Amino acid sequence: MIRFSLMNKQEKDAWLPELFDLLYNNMQSIAPHGLGYEREKEEWLANVSPALEKETRQILLCFADQELAGYLQYYTREKLVMVEEVQLKSAYQRTMVFYYLCRALLELMPEEIVIIEAYADKRNVNSQGIMKKLGMQQVGEEGGFVHLRGSVSQAGDWFR
């Protein structure tokens, strides 16, 4: 059974190391940073942990039965939702879990949210391809990342 819940921010110190491990395992072969596990983890935790102090920044956890299957990290601002990270354990990649996770995010969005944005590592062509299928278009580049933007309505059509 697939279920979702927003991460309790009071429990972030317990959750964030596990979420980093999932991210690291998925991305080290696609877009390695070359810093090594410990250094990357330290930098990630130093950025994500304080960012979660902001009310609008959330992490949607996805569970298959009692096991963490993945997560989606995002924040909202005015009419925008910025998807910062989507990670699924390898056993759940290319399954319906991604669909359900995105649909769960859409159900959380207030009506005023009409724009969806995300960044993808230039080397992560699969991620870019998924976003383009959702109607998102590249609007810029920053460092090693492409910036994509689209309509929540158009992206949501895939998940309704």
Side-chain angles (χ1 to χ4, degrees):
M1 180 176 147
I2 303 296
R3 65 179 180 82
F4 305 94
S5 68
L6 287 174
M7 185 187 78
N8 179 343
K9 293 182 183 185
Q10 302 300 319
E11 299 173 356
K12 71 180 181 178
D13 291 339
W15 279 112
L16 291 181
E18 186 172 356
L19 300 183
F20 173 79
D21 286 346
L22 176 51
L23 167 71
Y24 186 83
N25 288 334
N26 285 345
M27 298 306 292
Q28 68 179 348
S29 64
I30 297 169
H33 289 282
L35 300 175
Y37 173 83
E38 290 300 328
R39 182 75 176 132
E40 283 187 44
K41 184 175 186 176
E42 180 182 305
E43 286 187 11
W44 188 82
L45 291 172
N47 285 306
V48 174
S49 184
L52 284 171
E53 298 302 319
K54 297 177 182 172
E55 183 180 336
T56 60
R57 187 164 265 125
Q58 300 289 334
I59 296 179
L60 181 61
L61 300 172
C62 173
F63 298 91
D65 296 318
Q66 300 303 314
E67 177 188 22
L68 178 71
Y71 70 96
L72 191 153
Q73 181 179 329
Y74 70 96
Y75 68 85
T76 58
R77 182 182 67 232
E78 298 171 8
K79 297 180 178 187
L80 168 92
V81 59
M82 173 63 77
V83 177
E84 296 181 293
E85 197 68 59
V86 179
Q87 294 295 328
L88 293 174
K89 287 187 176 177
S90 59
Y92 302 102
Q93 294 173 5
R94 293 176 170 76
T95 70
M96 292 296 289
V97 173
F98 175 76
Y99 169 86
Y100 295 132
L101 182 59
C102 293
R103 198 167 80 183
L105 174 66
L106 287 171
E107 290 172 4
L108 291 171
M109 290 299 102
E111 286 184 22
E112 63 266 15
I113 302 295
V114 295
I115 299 167
I116 184 168
E117 291 189 7
Y119 286 85
D121 190 292
K122 288 180 184 179
R123 298 168 288 183
N124 194 342
V125 293
N126 288 339
S127 181
Q128 292 175 55
I130 290 168
M131 288 187 260
K132 288 177 181 175
K133 282 184 182 179
L134 297 176
M136 299 173 74
Q137 298 177 354
Q138 185 174 333
V139 294
E141 290 186 19
E142 292 181 32
F145 295 89
V146 294
H147 181 190
L148 295 106
R149 178 183 297 138
S151 155
V152 168
S153 174
Q154 185 175 4
D157 288 346
W158 281 87
F159 302 109
R160 290 192 183 95

